[in-house]
Amino acid sequence: MTVTADGPLPTVPYDVTVVGAGVVGSAIARELARHPHLKVALVEAQDDVGQGTSKANTAILHTGFDAHPGTLEARLVRAGSRLLAAYAAESGIPVEPVGALLVAWDEEQRSALPGLARQAVRNDHHDTRLLTAAELYAREPQLGPGALGALHVPGESIICPWSTTLAYATQAVRGGVDLHLNSRVAQVSRHAGAHTLTTTRGPLHTRHLVNAAGLHADTLDRLLGHRAFTVTPRRGQLIVYDKLARDLVRHILLPVPTALGKGVLVAPTVYGNVLLGPTAEDLDDRTATGSTAEGLAVLRVRGRRILPALLDEEATAVYAGLRAATEHDDYRISAHPEQAYVTVGGIRSTGLTASLAIAAHVTGLLRDSGLDLNDPVELEPVRMPNLGEAFPRPYQRGGDVIVCHCERATRGEIRAALAATIPPRSLAGLRRRTRAGAGRCQGFHCGAAVRDLFERTGHTR
């Protein structure tokens, strides 16, 4: 098992290199690990897997009911939803099938609901149901006044996105993939049937190249001579409300979608919190993950209409993520066999759900491009530490010291994370693996103890 974060990269050429260790890139690397005769690298610009869009989303496992029928995205989300639900059950990733309600607040929105129900049928989702206002309020009594009805979508679920990416990457590394962190790709050249990637840690050579660089996928695509799409970072700001707000909402509360996306929602999380967001702001800056007073004010106004009592609860955190929006309504996944290159671009909020199906699709493209992908083997299953409130947590067994009392993270959980196949290289990474410091006090009480455990392992950067 090889995970590196500093020093020069190996000089021996790889058969395949995947650039970008987000949820999609990690899923592709995991799929390639099923072919042990291949030498595979997963290259990531930052110091951990899942550091980009994958760590800052709404954490929903979609059914794909509202995807544009006939698109690649619709097909892959539909397949990926089933694959990820099964994978999560096998791997211990918490999922709660709470269902969703698309709430209509005016006549125009209510008139759009039957069309969305028909669209769901075209996407092979047959169990949606139109609800009257009375039926809606029976399901969600805390909903704000004035809703006219809803479309009920069973099967929409909440999931832990951090554990999903980490599970893929862990399985990939245990299956023989080399994970190279802190390796931002600056240039690509091709000579004598091989790519040379110029990275911040030196050159890396590979026969086949997969571009899963997320927000930077178009930049890498241009280095290979293609201009099929342009990424416009779309910032989504969100507010996280305390666990005491969890009883206010029973479903994922969705607006009727618009051209900018699924809009502002209220959703429970598997961690026991409630999310409000996201905004949808098209920006030029691909690093602008800061929250703004204006954006949070917009969310509070929307949230007060959707679930008024939520605004009386404590907000424990705010965060923002950037989605890789493009000028196209579909994923931009294409193969260039003459270059032994596959680009995986325009993967937006549905990428988590579609990740395993995207991986299967990409490996099919690589096979069509001449890569030997015959006779795949089954990988050893992984079992991720449970971070979900609906499932047993280690503190409930007793016999261990609780370090973070807000999130009930134990010393054993922290030590296990620090000794894992892909250990965290920062306190933020440790928080994503254990929830330590992610609670209502945001590490005020446990911060020193968590830092002490972290620093004893020598993973500080």
Side-chain angles (χ1 to χ4, degrees):
M1 297 186 293
T2 300
V3 179
T4 73
D6 49 40
L9 296 174
T11 57
V12 176
Y14 287 94
D15 294 306
V16 192
T17 295
V18 181
V19 177
V23 70
V24 171
S26 296
I28 295 168
R30 171 192 172 274
E31 186 67 22
L32 289 168
R34 298 179 63 210
H35 303 273
H37 66 283
L38 296 177
K39 186 172 177 59
V40 179
L42 177 59
V43 173
E44 168 56 40
Q46 301 193 61
D47 69 352
D48 201 358
V49 299
Q51 280 276 61
T53 302
S54 301
K55 75 174 182 182
N57 53 47
T58 51
I60 294 175
L61 176 54
H62 296 286
T63 59
F65 78 96
D66 59 345
H68 294 292
T71 61
L72 180 62
E73 180 179 16
R75 176 165 67 86
L76 296 181
V77 169
R78 187 165 61 246
S81 180
R82 293 189 289 266
L83 290 170
L84 181 49
Y87 181 82
E90 175 188 90
S91 305
I93 299 167
V95 173
E96 293 182 52
V98 294
L101 296 169
L102 270 79
V103 180
W105 296 96
D106 57 40
E107 287 294 343
E108 181 181 1
Q109 292 178 6
R110 182 162 65 174
S111 66
L113 295 181
L116 286 166
R118 290 190 295 271
Q119 184 170 321
V121 171
R122 292 198 296 274
N123 284 317
D124 200 29
H125 193 78
H126 299 273
D127 54 356
T128 62
R129 188 166 78 88
L130 294 169
L131 303 181
T132 66
E135 290 173 317
L136 171 60
Y137 281 99
R139 288 176 175 271
E140 289 288 354
Q142 297 293 333
L143 194 68
L148 303 181
L151 181 68
H152 179 219
V153 187
E156 293 279 300
S157 303
I158 52 178
I159 188 171
C160 175
W162 305 332
S163 298
T164 304
T165 305
L166 186 59
Y168 293 163
T170 297
Q171 218 171 5
V173 169
R174 290 180 182 175
V177 173
D178 290 350
L179 172 61
H180 299 303
L181 303 168
N182 295 324
S183 302
R184 183 177 60 83
V185 176
Q187 292 292 333
V188 180
S189 61
R190 182 167 171 79
H191 180 70
H195 298 280
T196 296
L197 310 184
T198 302
T199 81
T200 46
R201 291 176 52 197
L204 182 144
H205 308 286
T206 186
R207 289 197 301 118
H208 290 262
L209 178 62
V210 177
N211 170 9
L215 289 163
H216 302 280
D218 61 335
T219 303
L220 182 54
D221 209 41
R222 281 161 171 70
L223 293 176
L224 274 295
H226 306 287
R227 307 187 69 86
F229 62 96
T230 299
V231 170
T232 299
R234 182 168 293 162
R235 181 167 60 190
Q237 302 184 50
L238 297 104
I239 302 175
V240 183
Y241 285 90
D242 187 72
K243 290 175 170 50
L244 294 175
R246 178 62 181 84
D247 289 340
L248 295 176
V249 61
R250 302 170 182 175
H251 303 74
I252 303 164
L253 301 180
L254 299 171
V256 177
T258 69
L260 280 178
K262 299 181 184 298
V264 174
L265 58 83
V266 173
T269 76
V270 293
Y271 319 114
N273 305 98
V274 177
L275 286 182
L276 171 62
T279 58
E281 312 156 54
D282 286 346
L283 308 173
D284 296 323
D285 186 353
R286 303 187 191 209
T287 64
T289 56
S291 300
T292 67
E294 296 80 9
L296 299 180
V298 167
L299 292 181
R300 291 189 184 98
V301 170
R302 303 271 181 90
R304 190 168 295 281
R305 183 181 192 188
I306 300 168
L307 204 68
L310 182 64
L311 276 295
D312 297 327
E313 300 293 333
E314 292 290 332
T316 59
V318 298
Y319 67 93
L322 297 173
R323 289 160 278 176
T326 73
E327 67 273 36
H328 304 282
D329 292 330
D330 201 358
Y331 293 164
R332 312 308 297 170
I333 302 177
S334 57
H336 305 276
E338 72 285 355
Q339 293 178 299
Y341 169 63
V342 176
T343 183
V344 187
I347 312 299
R348 295 156 303 195
S349 57
T350 56
L352 170 61
T353 300
S355 52
L356 290 174
I358 292 172
H361 181 66
V362 168
T363 52
L365 295 176
L366 288 168
R367 181 184 295 109
D368 294 342
S369 299
L371 183 64
D372 177 10
L373 291 176
N374 296 317
D375 302 321
V377 302
E378 292 301 317
L379 297 174
E380 286 293 322
V382 294
R383 192 73 187 173
M384 303 306 293
N386 169 50
L387 301 184
E389 285 293 285
F391 307 92
R393 296 278 309 284
Y395 79 89
Q396 294 170 311
R397 296 195 297 266
D400 197 358
V401 175
I402 294 177
V403 177
C404 172
H405 286 268
C406 293
E407 295 297 318
R408 300 181 181 90
T410 66
R411 182 182 295 166
E413 285 179 283
I414 293 171
R415 285 176 169 168
L418 293 169
T421 301
I422 306 174
R425 308 187 70 79
S426 68
L427 290 172
L430 181 60
R431 183 169 64 243
R432 290 191 292 274
R433 287 162 171 80
T434 64
R435 288 172 41 184
R440 60 173 57 95
C441 84
Q442 290 291 290
F444 180 82
H445 290 286
C446 69
V450 172
R451 179 177 287 277
D452 180 60
L453 284 168
F454 178 76
E455 290 182 347
R456 283 191 216 171
T457 70
H459 288 301
T460 53
R461 289 292 181 273

